[in-house]
Amino acid sequence: MAWFNRKDKGIQTPTTAKKEAPDGLWYKTPSGKIVHMRELKNNSYVSPEDDYHVRIGSKEYFEILFDNNEFKELDAEITSADPLKFVDSKPYPARIAATQKKSGLTDAVRSAVGKMHNKDIVIACMDFGFIGGSMGSVVGEKIARAIDYSLKHKIPFLMISKSGGARMMEAGFSLMQMAKTSAKLALLSEAKIPYISLLTDPTTGGVTASYAMLGDFNIAEPGALIGFAGPRIIRETIGKDLPKGFQSAEFVLDHGFLDFIVDRRSLKKKLTTLLELLEN
């Protein structure tokens, strides 16, 4: 019998001896490309084969942008109250507590100060993993305080938006954050302190209608969904099919609402260059 012929048919390895690949070791992009998570992280969470920009949060953006991932977080302990005593499938405080436990975040935005290529910068970054990155009172307050820090220390401000819009559990209190953050940004403009707004996937609703579109430069990542209402709502309202690529960063750029699109792998370098231009 040849050496390569099986003596016994079938797989003989007992179930207890089989080894499973651990979860989270590989990432599959929407186009079907498989990437090892280590390679993805080393490539700024961009798939090297199809350039797909994976959704990431404040932890990853701070790693990418701050020198040596060194920064001082601002107002980290602020958490949401429940002024409306809101209840849907569960009370709002219970939803907040469950989301905090699951995500390890206190709310949908983190702000920090540090250095980017040896230049001081304040960064506020939203986390979609916290109730869809929804904008409530805490989000508005933390952004307002981050802007105050920029004003006091005369440091450029970068806002990284990633949100489904206003947080319905806070109703009018949520909508008030649009006016509050916009007013704070007007002070930043009067003081001639640079403000760059980075729109990532997705940026929608009241966030788009306020601070996300008020930058001295409005920039976006490739393929990001950017809009106010979602495409399904618009389609059903106007009764017409929407253009191909509607509300993509590329579509928004072509129609004059963005200054440019930046690949995440060159984001830190592009931002530094931009700030140097604004300083001169």
Side-chain angles (χ1 to χ4, degrees):
M1 182 182 287
W3 66 268
F4 50 80
N5 286 342
R6 287 183 184 270
K7 290 182 179 179
D8 300 314
K9 291 184 178 181
I11 298 171
Q12 304 299 315
T13 309
T15 303
T16 53
K18 292 179 181 177
K19 293 184 178 179
E20 298 276 343
D23 290 336
L25 196 60
W26 302 90
Y27 184 88
K28 185 176 182 180
T29 71
S31 66
K33 304 296 183 184
I34 307 294
V35 191
H36 196 281
M37 285 303 297
R38 188 189 307 112
E39 184 180 5
L40 199 63
K41 182 178 180 180
N42 292 338
N43 205 43
S44 298
Y45 299 92
V46 178
S47 170
E49 292 193 53
D50 58 8
D51 294 333
Y52 175 73
H53 283 54
V54 177
R55 282 185 185 178
I56 57 175
S58 56
K59 177 179 180 291
E60 292 80 14
Y61 277 110
F62 288 175
E63 284 177 4
I64 291 168
L65 295 175
F66 284 123
D67 294 346
N68 304 315
N69 196 27
E70 294 175 356
F71 57 87
K72 181 180 80 172
E73 189 162 355
L74 306 173
D75 308 300
E77 302 305 318
I78 303 178
T79 58
S80 293
D82 185 22
L84 303 178
K85 309 301 178 189
F86 191 93
V87 179
D88 45 32
S89 60
K90 64 172 75 171
Y92 183 42
R95 185 176 297 282
I96 288 290
T99 308
Q100 288 175 337
K101 183 177 180 181
K102 181 180 178 180
S103 66
L105 303 164
T106 54
D107 214 284
V109 72
R110 290 174 68 206
S111 55
V113 60
K115 290 186 179 293
M116 183 176 69
H117 281 153
N118 294 317
K119 293 182 178 296
D120 290 327
I121 189 167
V122 175
I123 301 176
C125 181
M126 303 192 74
D127 282 282
F128 195 78
F130 196 100
I131 314 182
S134 52
M135 175 183 61
S137 300
V138 169
V139 169
E141 182 65 17
K142 289 183 77 168
I143 292 171
R145 292 190 187 192
I147 295 169
D148 284 340
Y149 191 97
S150 286
L151 280 166
K152 182 179 179 180
H153 299 276
K154 301 191 185 308
I155 299 172
F157 179 58
L158 169 66
M159 181 72 227
I160 304 174
S161 298
K162 186 189 300 284
S163 174
R167 187 173 298 174
M168 68 173 188
M169 299 85 157
E170 296 188 21
F173 290 96
S174 174
L175 298 177
M176 289 175 190
Q177 310 313 309
M178 298 168 63
K180 180 164 76 175
T181 53
S182 298
K184 288 289 186 181
L185 288 171
L187 297 177
L188 207 62
S189 177
E190 287 177 11
K192 300 191 184 307
I193 296 171
Y195 166 46
I196 299 173
S197 176
L198 172 63
L199 291 81
T200 68
D201 183 55
T203 301
T204 60
V207 171
T208 307
S210 55
Y211 53 82
M213 283 293 186
L214 293 176
D216 296 317
F217 282 88
N218 296 325
I219 64 178
E221 292 184 339
L225 172 68
I226 300 168
F228 183 68
R232 180 180 59 82
I233 301 295
I234 297 172
R235 190 186 306 111
E236 291 176 357
T237 301
I238 67 175
K240 295 180 180 178
D241 289 331
L242 301 173
K244 185 178 180 181
F246 180 71
Q247 291 188 325
S248 67
E250 291 74 15
F251 184 94
V252 176
L253 175 68
D254 288 343
H255 290 77
F257 286 92
L258 290 175
D259 292 294
F260 59 86
I261 293 172
V262 58
D263 188 297
R264 193 183 292 153
R265 289 165 290 193
S266 58
L267 177 61
K268 185 173 181 177
K269 182 179 179 182
K270 287 282 182 69
L271 287 172
T272 305
T273 302
L274 199 54
L275 290 174
E276 288 173 346
L277 289 171
L278 291 171
E279 288 171 359
N280 296 331

